[in-house]
Amino acid sequence: MPRLSCKTHQILLLSKSQHTYVAKISELPRKFAAVVSASTLSATIYVSVINFSVQGAHLVVHSATKYIGGHDDLMAGAVVGSSPLIEQAKKLAARWGLTVAPFDAWLAIRSIHSLQVRVERAWASAATLAERIIASRLALQVNAAPRCAIICIEVPGGYEGVNRAIKSFALVKLSPSFGGTCTSVSHSASSSHKFLSPQERKRLGITDGILRISVGLENVEDIWADLNCGLLAAASISPTTTKLKG
């Protein structure tokens, strides 16, 4: 728990999921100003924003680049909260030049109209794919959750298994981002968590064979056929320490 005093104006929380610590910290005395919860990963806006607001967060900062944009064509963010706080945020954004370009704002608004349809289809496909990956017994572990379009799997063979799986994909593309209409895959050990030591990654459960799959809107049978090819390619080798090739 952070040390607070009468000089504390804001508590900034970065959440990669929907952890209940937001509610616990929000129970602190109101004199400690706003609790800001930044959610940029697996939750969609109408899961994370509603959940964190109910848990007591005064403001929720959310990425509009992922599911809100949803078409891999903009970079933006959104702040959700009460009118008085949003008015303050608007003034700061205007003063510091933190606003997005008009065309990017239009792209985000355009995409909001299809947000529910897109995420619900992705959720359904992700659930189907997770079941099939588990049933195939080709992955060492599968991490999936209801109402989530992200699936994390561990393929055998470490870096070499990952390399073979990605090279075998035809439909699924390697990408550092997620939440778009197209299914993509990323390798945490060589991208988002590259600068952590192997020991630190292991402590976090991020092995060299972990792949993060962002399920898109393609036909689920097409996605499965592609994933299955990659899983078979990874399963055909024994574990090695070969580095991932670009």
Side-chain angles (χ1 to χ4, degrees):
M1 184 65 66
R3 181 175 297 177
L4 305 176
S5 71
C6 59
K7 295 182 179 180
T8 302
H9 294 291
Q10 186 178 98
I11 303 170
L12 179 61
L13 306 175
L14 176 61
S15 176
K16 296 184 177 182
S17 62
Q18 299 169 51
H19 293 307
T20 56
Y21 67 73
V22 176
K24 295 179 180 178
I25 295 179
S26 297
E27 293 171 359
L28 295 170
R30 292 286 177 172
K31 65 181 180 180
F32 294 130
V35 175
V36 179
S37 173
S39 174
T40 58
L41 294 182
S42 59
T44 59
I45 187 168
Y46 69 100
V47 172
S48 65
V49 170
I50 292 174
N51 282 358
F52 290 141
S53 297
V54 169
Q55 291 180 42
H58 299 77
L59 289 172
V60 179
V61 181
H62 193 86
S63 172
T65 304
K66 312 293 192 299
Y67 291 101
I68 294 178
H71 293 77
D72 302 312
D73 56 7
L74 80 148
M75 294 181 64
V79 182
V80 182
S82 65
S83 295
L85 289 175
I86 293 300
E87 284 301 317
Q88 294 181 49
K90 285 172 62 177
K91 291 177 182 178
L92 287 174
R95 186 179 306 158
W96 295 345
L98 301 176
T99 55
V100 298
F103 183 66
D104 290 334
W106 178 85
L107 288 173
I109 293 171
R110 165 216 62 179
S111 298
I112 287 175
H113 295 295
S114 63
L115 176 62
Q116 181 173 351
V117 175
R118 286 186 285 108
V119 297
E120 288 182 352
R121 178 182 173 94
W123 287 346
S125 294
T128 299
L129 293 169
E131 291 176 358
R132 293 188 182 183
I133 295 171
I134 293 171
S136 74
R137 298 183 178 273
L138 293 173
L140 299 180
Q141 62 172 310
V142 181
N143 294 315
R147 288 160 58 90
C148 181
I150 302 292
I151 305 171
C152 286
I153 63 173
E154 182 180 6
V155 298
Y159 273 99
E160 182 61 25
V162 164
N163 193 40
R164 291 200 180 196
I166 291 175
K167 285 191 173 184
S168 296
F169 295 148
L171 177 70
V172 180
K173 302 301 182 183
L174 182 65
S175 172
S177 190
F178 59 91
T181 57
C182 300
T183 300
S184 62
V185 63
S186 65
H187 182 236
S188 300
S190 62
S191 57
S192 60
H193 294 74
K194 178 179 180 180
F195 299 102
L196 295 179
S197 67
Q199 294 76 19
E200 289 175 310
R201 290 199 298 268
K202 184 178 180 180
R203 180 174 58 83
L204 294 171
I206 302 171
T207 67
D208 292 343
I210 290 287
L211 288 173
R212 185 188 69 191
I213 301 163
S214 172
V215 179
L217 306 185
E218 304 94 339
N219 185 289
V220 69
E221 298 299 334
D222 293 336
I223 303 173
W224 168 241
D226 208 43
L227 291 178
N228 192 45
C229 286
L231 290 169
L232 288 169
S236 66
I237 62 171
S238 58
T240 69
T241 56
T242 304
K243 292 294 184 182
L244 182 66
K245 301 177 181 178

